[in-house]
Amino acid sequence: MTAPDPLKPLRSTKVEALTEAEAAAEHAALADAIRGHDALYYREDAPVVSDAEYDALRRRYEDIEARFPGLKGEDSLTEQVGAAPVEKFGKVVHGVPMLSLANAFSDAEVEEFVARVRRFLNLKDTDEVAFTCEPKIDGLSCSLRYEAGRLQVAATRGDGQVGEDVTQNVRTIAEIPARVAAADFPEVIDIRGEVYMAAADFAALNARQAQAGEKVFANPRNAAAGSLRQLDPAITASRPLKFFAYAWGEASSLPADTQHAVVEAFARWGFPTNPLTIRATDAAGLIAHYRKIEEERALLGYDIDGVVYKVDRLDLQRRLGFVSRAPRWALAHKFPAQQATTVLDEIEIQVGRTGALTPVAKLRPVTVGGVVVSSATLHNEDEIARKDIRVGDTVVVQRAGDVIPQVVRVLTDHRPAGAEPYRFPHTCPACGSHAVREVDPKTGKEDVVRRCTGGLICPAQMVERLRHFVSRNAFDIEGLGEKQVAALYEWGLVKSPADIFTLAARNAASLQRLENREGWGKTSATNLFAAIEGRRKVSVDRFVFALGIRHVGETNAKRLMRHYSTVEALRDGALSAVMPGEEHPKGNEGWAELTGIDGIGDVVAEAVVDFFAEPRNQEVVAALLGEVEPQPMEQVAAESPVAGKTVVFTGALERMTRDEAKAMAERLGAKVAGSVSAKTDLVVAGPGAGSKLEKARGLGVEVISEEEWFERVG
Ligand code: IVH
């Protein structure tokens, strides 16, 4: 029932509303997710999100970078295309990078593209500019390097800069000439185009694979990619791959000065080129050809996912140049999603790593645009209600040229008698804990996502929770990273936080010792047990932060524990706020006490109550208290010169880390903020401080150095 949540980092908070710290965390999480999806798509040929969902992650990432340019490091994804090559193939550095194309989905965007090109070139109304217009082949791009008329190297796109060497495999593709003898063939040229598999060949291959009990491919693109990236060229040779040439990279000379004429030369030289290529001089002409190709699409015998427009004259292409990852002189006009009708047999609830419950439609298998679809995302509870999707319904499913299909609507005429409106479960299918939707106190609106509250007991969330539990600002157990936690969980050695503290004793009595397991040795195991022993006493706010209660980060953990002092008091306080029989507490004294704490609002209070209301969370906390001894929080020095002040640290600090600085300031009773505003009392600026420092000066906020900070606080 469990599955990773591939869109997990995608948050709903507006980018404008993010603090710098939130933005940085989200930026990093998005980068991880995008890299993961890139790897699945480019390396494994097995994507788990749709193009649209991927684009949403990417757009959010770019928006965050646009607002916080400081986050844009050297390895920013906005500077890269695709995924770095896998290790198993040799690497090929592309002399000229292989880029991607900007997308358009509407006629208006095509008109805007033509207008933009004209504007950029500063053309007069009477000046004509020609474009080529050709199908966008749904395969994988490949760069073929010819030297002295011979195919020398063939490479995949990879990350656009470095691809994989697939020369031996490409040599098995009959349509690709190994030698070209034409007099005007350049001494050196990278011929670029798309390796693809025809629909009939794909069907036959899948039939053979199924017969042999081998992997069947989801679509021709994946089959082509999987076939080209075989380590054994004999396997590639047995797969019916084809090729269309449509572009070039490095070239010692070119046979013509227009896109169209160069591709015509490709054909003369023996490369397959697409017969549906035309030239047009305005948006109307391009769109008319797009419609024609769209009509012929089903009869082509191979998958295409749109039409590509390119400025024809090469001198104009050069003037237009590139914007980040795509040429300004080209556009991919994508086809709309394809649809089919089928029956929804079941709604399965999947639980993501952060406890989000995601409904997935289990469908009678149906072919949509050449791919067999048997499940579709239903997004969330509200979507199901809005579309009134019921088990047994006949539904229209849609696939936008990619992988996760969607249910578009219900054909209510076909609804079976007695079909009941769907009731979204209020308990987690993975662990049975109650699952809740948070209410935004400002808007009064419920979050669209229902979440499992059993973070510390839910197998779907456990590894993530344990990782948080041992992380630096929580229990800070050295030697326990994500990999180690995941392995300990998988081996059944640590299934709950308290297990960490009983690990050494259990290990001593065990037949299969940790030190003999993969990835461990005597020293690492001994060090780990020592690190764990050393953390049996942690301050109570760290303890509470480590529990991973939703919305209880370090600051809120401190606020709560300054008030309640002990974990037991916090638990009892939270439980006294529960209104029997009510899903959302409110109104009684316990609630008033909790929300009376400075900085603790309804959202946090509710999360705390939800957490302790779950009996198994109480058990986990009790087990943990049997193993560790939370220490009182360091007391705030009331007399400190910064007590009650709002402080911002910016720039590089030399004598302490950011975390230390923050902890120190808070210990001294100051509030630490991430950004400068009129409410800021003091800015501590180190070398390299930028916009925050400027803003502080603009607002007349007092600015001091790190040295002065130490002088001031003693
Ligand atoms: S031109 C610099 N033409 O689409 C521009 N690309 O989304 C080079 N593709 O990576 C690309 N058919 O794999 C071009 N007729 C066509 C294409 C085409 C398919 C692919 C290609 C590219 C991707 C970008």
Side-chain angles (χ1 to χ4, degrees), residues 196-208 220 240 242 298 300-303:
Y196 69 99
M197 194 178 284
D201 293 334
F202 164 72
L205 169 64
N206 258 359
R208 283 205 310 272
K242 298 188 151 191
L300 291 179
Y302 50 87
D303 276 4

Side-chain angles (χ1 to χ4, degrees), residues 61 63 68 74 83 95 101 103 128 183 221 236 261 268 327 336 357 388 402 406 423 506-507 590 610-611 635 656:
Y61 180 86
D63 290 350
F68 299 98
E74 245 171 42
L101 293 169
N103 289 329
E128 206 165 66
R221 197 208 84 87
T236 312
R268 240 187 326 106
L357 267 46
D388 188 16
D402 41 40
Q406 304 172 314
R423 300 217 345 236
R506 283 181 292 125
N507 191 57
D610 281 337
F611 178 87
Q635 279 310 305
M656 53 189 174

Side-chain angles (χ1 to χ4, degrees), residues 21-148:
E22 285 169 342
E26 197 184 335
H27 183 261
L30 284 164
D32 279 353
I34 293 169
R35 286 207 179 90
H37 292 312
D38 281 348
L40 288 171
Y41 184 90
Y42 291 104
R43 298 188 198 167
E44 317 284 329
D45 309 315
V48 297
V49 292
S50 70
D51 282 1
E53 287 165 322
Y54 176 85
D55 287 347
L57 289 170
R58 194 118 206 167
R59 220 171 303 125
R60 174 97 178 162
Y61 180 86
E62 286 167 13
D63 290 350
I64 290 179
E65 265 190 9
R67 182 159 171 245
F68 299 98
L71 293 176
K72 185 166 175 160
E74 245 171 42
D75 58 348
S76 168
L77 294 168
T78 50
E79 302 299 323
Q80 297 160 26
V81 183
V86 283
E87 298 305 327
K88 58 186 182 182
F89 290 97
K91 289 178 185 173
V92 174
V93 178
H94 299 301
V96 172
M98 292 182 79
L99 298 162
S100 66
L101 293 169
N103 289 329
F105 293 91
S106 67
D107 293 358
E109 287 170 279
V110 177
E111 283 157 12
E112 172 49 26
F113 164 68
V114 171
R116 201 164 51 233
V117 165
R118 296 188 65 93
R119 262 199 315 274
F120 190 94
L121 297 171
N122 200 15
L123 298 184
K124 291 202 281 295
D125 287 352
T126 49
D127 292 339
E128 206 165 66
V129 58
F131 297 86
T132 60
C133 180
E134 70 202 63
K136 183 171 188 299
I137 318 297
D138 201 3
L140 71 156
S141 49
C142 206
S143 188
L144 315 173
R145 186 169 193 85
Y146 288 81
E147 288 173 10

Side-chain angles (χ1 to χ4, degrees), residues 41-42 81 97-103 133-142 157 192-195 221 244-248 259 274 277 304-310 317 322 325-327 329-332 334:
Y41 184 90
Y42 291 104
V81 183
M98 292 182 79
L99 298 162
S100 66
L101 293 169
N103 289 329
C133 180
E134 70 202 63
K136 183 171 188 299
I137 318 297
D138 201 3
L140 71 156
S141 49
C142 206
R157 179 166 76 169
R192 290 180 175 172
E194 204 83 354
V195 171
R221 197 208 84 87
F244 276 125
Y246 52 65
W248 58 95
Q259 174 77 32
N274 197 285
T277 309
I304 62 173
D305 57 348
V307 173
V308 181
Y309 309 132
K310 299 171 188 166
Q317 287 191 1
F322 299 84
R325 310 187 302 143
W329 44 264
L331 183 73
K334 295 287 206 72

Side-chain angles (χ1 to χ4, degrees), residues 71 277 374 543 589 592 671:
L71 293 176
T277 309
S374 56
F543 182 106
E589 269 174 37
K671 261 194 221 157

Side-chain angles (χ1 to χ4, degrees), residues 582-595:
E582 292 276 329
E583 198 165 310
H584 295 293
K586 247 163 231 181
N588 67 8
E589 269 174 37
W591 180 259
E593 179 175 351
L594 193 52
T595 51

